[in-house]
Amino acid sequence: MTGEGNSRPALLLVHGAWHGAWCWEPLRSALRGEGLRTETVDLPSAGTEAGMHEDAGVVLEALARIDGPVVVVAHSYGGIPVTQAVPDSGNVERIVYLAAFQLDVGENLLGHYGAPDPAEPRGFEPVPGDPVTLFYGDLPVPEARAAAGRLAQQNRRSFSDRLTRAAWRTVPSTYVVCEDDRALPAPAQEAMAARSGTVHRIASGHSPFLSRPAELASLLGKIGLGSDG
C-alpha cells in the first residue's frame, strides 16, 4: 500500500480470537471519514492449526507491505501476536491495545487467567457460549446474532504459546478500556493498561468497532494525529 500523499500513519487493525477481518468493516468506513488509511489481517489461528507465533508472522508480513508509519490497533487476543511481532518491524509508531491482552515476555493468555498450559495443546477451542451477550451486548440483537454467526473455532495453541518479545517496552502504547466489557472486564483491562503510556476509556462492550464505530474512529483519529503523548 502506498502513502498516497497522506503523511498521517496508516492503521493496521488486528482482530481477536474467533473473529476475522470482517469485524472491522463498520470502523474502517468511519475511519475513512477521519481521513485515515486502514489495513487488516486475518489471523490464521481462527479456523486453522496455526498458533500465536504464526499469527505474529502474518502481522509482521502485513506491516512490511505498508509504506510509511503505522499505528497498530490490536483487539483482545490480537494484542498478543502484535506484542510479539512489532519489535521486528521498523515502521510502527504506536500500538493501541483495544480491550486487549498487553502481556509481557514469558506470558500467555492461559497464564493471565491462572490456568496451566494444556498437556495436549492441539485442537480447537469452540466459540464461547452466548457470544451475543459476551462480545456484542451493546449491539442490537439482530446485528449481534449476525456477527456471532461468523465466528470460527480458535486454535488452542494460540492461547498457550508464550511471548518472547514485548513490543510495548520499546514502542509507545495506548490502552483503550471498554468500560462495559463482559468478555474482558474493565478491572482486568485497567491492570494491563498500567503498562501503556496513555489510557482512554469508551463506554462500550467488548466490540466498539461494531457498536460505536464513529466514536472509536474519532478517538483513533486523534491518536493517529499524534495527540496521544
Side-chain angles (χ1 to χ4, degrees), residues 1 10-14 39-41 56-73 81-82 84-95:
M1 186 181 70
L11 297 185
L12 177 64
L13 310 176
V14 181
E39 290 289 330
T40 61
V41 294
V58 168
V59 172
L60 190 59
E61 289 170 2
L63 288 169
R65 292 193 297 267
I66 300 174
D67 293 337
V70 185
V71 170
V72 183
V73 181
V82 164
Q84 177 71 28
V86 164
D88 287 330
S89 175
N91 59 343
V92 177
E93 288 191 341
R94 180 172 293 273
I95 304 169

Side-chain angles (χ1 to χ4, degrees), residues 146-168:
R150 301 186 70 173
L151 298 175
Q153 294 186 104
Q154 182 74 17
N155 190 282
R156 289 195 181 103
R157 189 157 55 89
S158 64
F159 295 160
S160 59
D161 285 346
R162 295 181 180 275
L163 287 166
T164 62
R165 296 182 175 94
W168 52 268

Side-chain angles (χ1 to χ4, degrees), residues 38-184:
T38 62
E39 290 289 330
T40 61
V41 294
D42 277 305
L43 297 179
S45 62
T48 81
E49 293 290 341
M52 184 275 288
H53 290 284
E54 288 83 358
D55 287 343
V58 168
V59 172
L60 190 59
E61 289 170 2
L63 288 169
R65 292 193 297 267
I66 300 174
D67 293 337
V70 185
V71 170
V72 183
V73 181
H75 179 243
S76 197
Y77 158 80
I80 302 175
V82 164
T83 296
Q84 177 71 28
V86 164
D88 287 330
S89 175
N91 59 343
V92 177
E93 288 191 341
R94 180 172 293 273
I95 304 169
V96 179
Y97 290 92
L98 174 63
F101 290 92
Q102 187 170 355
L103 304 184
D104 207 348
V105 172
E107 296 179 344
N108 61 12
L109 188 145
L110 290 177
H112 175 81
Y113 288 104
D117 291 351
E120 178 49 77
R122 289 183 295 183
F124 290 90
E125 191 67 30
V127 175
D130 195 12
V132 167
T133 299
L134 192 66
F135 298 143
Y136 316 120
D138 55 345
L139 268 174
V141 172
E143 294 178 29
R145 287 177 175 166
R150 301 186 70 173
L151 298 175
Q153 294 186 104
Q154 182 74 17
N155 190 282
R156 289 195 181 103
R157 189 157 55 89
S158 64
F159 295 160
S160 59
D161 285 346
R162 295 181 180 275
L163 287 166
T164 62
R165 296 182 175 94
W168 52 268
R169 290 190 170 276
T170 55
V171 176
S173 63
T174 294
Y175 203 102
V176 179
V177 175
C178 294
E179 295 179 325
D180 300 321
D181 196 327
R182 298 186 184 184
L184 186 59

